[in-house]
Amino acid sequence: MKPILIDNKINNFSKRINVDADKSISIRWALFASQAIGKSTAYNLLMSEDVLSTIKCLKKLGIKINLTKKKCEIYGNGINGFNFKKNIVLNAGNSGTLGRLILPLLIKSPEKIKLVGDKSLSKRDFTRIINPLQKFGAEFFPNKKKIPLYIKGSNFIRPISYIENRGSAQCKSAVMLASLNAPGITKIKAKKSRNHTENFFKNLNIPIKIRKKKNYDLIEVHGEKNFSAFKYKIPGDISSSAFFIVLTILSKNSKLIIRNVNINPSRDGVIRILKKMGAKIHYENIKIYKGEKIANIHVRSSKYIKSIKCPTKLNSSAIDEFLIIFLVAAKASGVSYFNNLEELNQKESKRLNLGSKILNLMGVKTKLTDNSIKIYGNPYLQVKKKCVIKNYLGDHRIMAMSTIAALSIGGKWEIHNPDSINTSFPSFFKILKKNFKARII
Ligand code: S3P
């Protein structure tokens, strides 16, 4: 697809919008439904490439799925109920969550199964998943760190004890999903991270015990217990919302309401960080649905933005939103500091490095290390040079951050690979054009 050109800021607005459904929940719903007994139904499933890749992988594993615009039905055959044929190749596309969460469901496969993905996913670390799954009893070929790889399961799966100290929900969830196949109790000590997988376990009555400590959780799962099919209405994604929240904060005299968003406290670090920077955001109509917290997010423009020394305990709950937070820091008065962010360079692209590069292109000074960034904010920031955004491994969040920078801060922008947004937020440009009258060529 051709690059997009933007050289106009957005005018002031007062709008109500919905964003696309939560990606983490959509992928998890499909994976859990594939292990349930009977027909599970999801409404408002995210129709993005990452979720469609999940559905394709499950179909290859013999799971019957009906997908229409209105709903998705998955017919599970119980735990380990896949049809393990010879020579199955699963393509996780761009999705780290899919790649890392499908492997634990294959640890009993009698056949070798190949896992592949796109250029970005093929650069990402898989040892963090391979190591614990080997302890359960699965085998990996060839013995290396990245995809493409083959997994072969075992009939002699055993439960494990595992320490997760990155704050990675993917690692924690992979071990929890593998434990479904393990007799006895799997024990996990996990640094705090998004807890959607725990919520699915609880809702599906899969035996789980969670003891919450200050900095970590102790989780125990009792494996080999089948569970019944279930229904799910998927709420809006806070990571997708974050782009429009920041667009509002940085635009003049504007107001926005985003309806029905999942503001699970293990995901809403972006809101807490932006509020510390002086943003005017609040929640209304708060509800609890299947353990997730749902609300309408209300946001207004900010005349004055404060710099921040970002508390590292918020890192995991804002991990996908730092790029867009950096943009707010660029317009803050004073120097902002973000530390212990080495995981940002493990994402779809090296987001810490690339985020800094984009700010530099915009004329913002930064100081970068392997795990931290200092951003020298300027409330009067004007982008003087043309910003060309390319060669970023098609990272959807780099693309969306650049688009929001162009529409809120201004300057001339040429942004390549705009279709990368389809991995997570297919309605992004439609919402910008329809609701915000964005001029994007
Ligand atoms: C996700 C966890 C996070 C996040 C990713 C989605 C999940 O990754 O960055 O976009 O759904 O569990 P890590 O677990 O690697 O931090």
Side-chain angles (χ1 to χ4, degrees):
M1 197 181 165
K2 276 200 320 204
I4 51 168
L5 304 173
I6 305 178
D7 66 358
N8 262 297
K9 283 206 261 186
I10 255 171
N11 289 326
N12 58 330
F13 54 83
S14 173
K15 294 282 167 198
R16 281 164 189 264
I17 59 168
N18 285 68
V19 295
D20 289 345
D22 190 309
K23 178 153 74 91
S24 286
I25 302 237
S26 294
I27 294 174
R28 280 168 176 74
W29 171 79
L31 296 177
F32 275 99
S34 78
Q35 303 299 298
I37 293 183
K39 180 180 86 175
S40 294
T41 309
Y43 304 93
N44 194 39
L45 187 74
L46 175 64
M47 294 287 184
S48 79
E49 280 166 7
D50 284 6
V51 181
L52 296 176
S53 300
T54 308
I55 286 174
K56 272 192 203 149
C57 288
L58 294 174
K59 280 187 174 169
K60 280 205 174 165
L61 291 162
I63 298 292
K64 183 181 158 196
I65 302 181
N66 295 331
L67 179 63
T68 63
K69 270 198 173 157
K70 261 185 142 177
K71 62 182 182 185
C72 179
E73 295 167 340
I74 294 190
Y75 294 78
N77 306 315
I79 292 169
N80 202 40
F82 289 145
N83 183 5
F84 293 110
K85 287 190 271 185
K86 280 196 191 319
N87 302 320
I88 292 180
V89 180
L90 301 178
N91 188 346
N94 186 250
S95 176
T97 306
L98 169 58
R100 290 166 176 161
L101 299 199
I102 195 123
L103 289 172
L105 300 181
L106 308 175
I107 61 173
K108 280 189 130 179
S109 168
E111 302 293 340
K112 267 190 184 178
I113 295 177
K114 189 175 186 186
L115 180 67
V116 302
D118 74 0
K119 199 169 154 195
S120 152
L121 192 60
S122 305
K123 287 184 190 287
R124 297 178 71 180
D125 171 42
F126 271 76
T127 49
R128 56 179 65 194
I129 303 300
I130 294 173
N131 291 340
L133 295 188
Q134 277 174 335
K135 277 179 76 189
F136 275 103
E139 289 181 90
F140 289 86
F141 314 93
N143 204 351
K144 63 180 184 100
K145 297 177 175 174
K146 296 186 174 156
I147 58 167
L149 56 75
Y150 290 87
I151 179 171
K152 185 166 184 289
S154 156
N155 263 333
F156 303 100
I157 295 297
R158 53 207 169 245
I160 69 167
S161 289
Y162 172 72
I163 297 178
E164 197 297 302
N165 50 21
R166 289 185 175 90
S168 161
Q170 289 176 356
C171 294
K172 172 178 69 181
S173 303
V175 173
M176 291 176 72
L177 289 172
S179 78
L180 293 175
N181 277 307
I185 296 177
T186 293
K187 294 183 180 172
I188 305 169
K189 178 179 174 185
K191 196 167 159 188
K192 302 272 179 192
S193 62
R194 64 187 70 189
N195 65 352
H196 308 308
T197 308
E198 290 91 314
N199 288 342
F200 272 99
F201 269 68
K202 286 188 203 156
N203 275 301
L204 296 170
N205 293 320
I206 306 168
I208 181 168
K209 274 192 203 147
I210 305 171
R211 270 183 293 151
K212 293 197 172 171
K213 304 283 176 186
K214 194 163 169 248
N215 296 319
Y216 57 90
D217 292 332
L218 294 171
I219 303 172
E220 285 187 9
V221 186
H222 211 290
E224 292 192 321
K225 302 270 190 237
N226 267 308
F227 53 94
S228 307
F230 60 108
K231 292 196 160 84
Y232 210 116
K233 261 171 86 178
I234 304 193
D237 196 315
I238 194 162
S239 303
S240 299
S241 306
F243 296 110
F244 291 98
I245 292 171
V246 169
L247 179 67
T248 311
I249 293 171
L250 298 182
S251 300
K252 281 194 182 139
N253 302 323
S254 296
K255 274 203 273 186
L256 181 67
I257 299 172
I258 311 176
R259 296 187 206 94
N260 196 40
V261 181
N262 188 356
I263 54 152
N264 178 325
S266 65
R267 284 285 296 282
D268 79 340
V270 58
I271 307 293
R272 280 181 271 167
I273 293 169
L274 293 175
K275 279 177 118 173
K276 280 181 191 293
M277 300 177 84
K280 295 169 190 148
I281 309 175
H282 71 274
Y283 297 140
E284 282 188 16
N285 289 357
I286 300 176
K287 288 178 271 191
I288 303 289
Y289 176 73
K290 295 193 192 268
E292 302 292 331
K293 205 170 171 185
I294 319 288
N296 295 340
I297 303 178
H298 290 234
V299 52
R300 283 186 288 143
S301 351
S302 291
K303 283 207 177 97
Y304 177 74
I305 300 164
K306 285 185 277 187
S307 58
I308 187 172
K309 182 174 186 309
C310 188
T312 54
K313 67 170 194 299
L314 294 176
N315 283 359
S316 171
S317 62
I319 194 67
D320 291 337
E321 287 71 64
F322 276 102
L323 287 171
I324 199 74
I325 293 169
F326 293 166
L327 204 59
V328 180
K331 283 273 282 182
S333 84
V335 182
S336 293
Y337 183 55
F338 302 87
N339 195 9
N340 292 3
L341 276 181
E342 57 279 4
E343 276 294 301
L344 266 197
N345 277 338
Q346 301 282 340
K347 299 295 172 193
E348 286 86 329
S349 68
K350 293 195 169 187
R351 286 186 184 157
L352 187 59
N353 301 0
L354 273 174
S356 171
K357 236 179 165 174
I358 294 173
L359 295 186
N360 297 157
L361 268 179
M362 294 168 64
V364 179
K365 184 178 156 193
T366 58
K367 263 195 194 150
L368 182 70
T369 71
D370 283 350
N371 69 350
S372 75
I373 186 169
K374 261 189 192 161
I375 299 172
Y376 294 75
N378 172 6
Y380 308 102
L381 177 65
Q382 284 190 341
V383 178
K384 302 233 168 71
K385 282 195 216 143
K386 182 174 178 186
C387 297
V388 179
I389 309 296
K390 57 178 178 186
N391 301 330
Y392 58 90
L393 281 172
D395 181 343
H396 52 132
R397 298 202 201 281
I398 293 278
M399 205 295 297
M401 170 221 188
S402 308
T403 303
I404 297 301
L407 292 171
S408 59
I409 299 177
K412 275 195 185 342
W413 292 71
E414 177 182 309
I415 304 167
H416 290 243
N417 215 348
D419 44 339
S420 56
I421 198 64
N422 293 333
T423 60
S424 63
F425 190 3
S427 310
F428 180 70
F429 285 113
K430 210 166 96 195
I431 296 174
L432 278 174
K433 288 181 181 162
K434 189 170 155 234
N435 296 281
F436 300 91
K437 308 275 175 278
R439 276 199 274 160
I440 300 171
I441 307 162

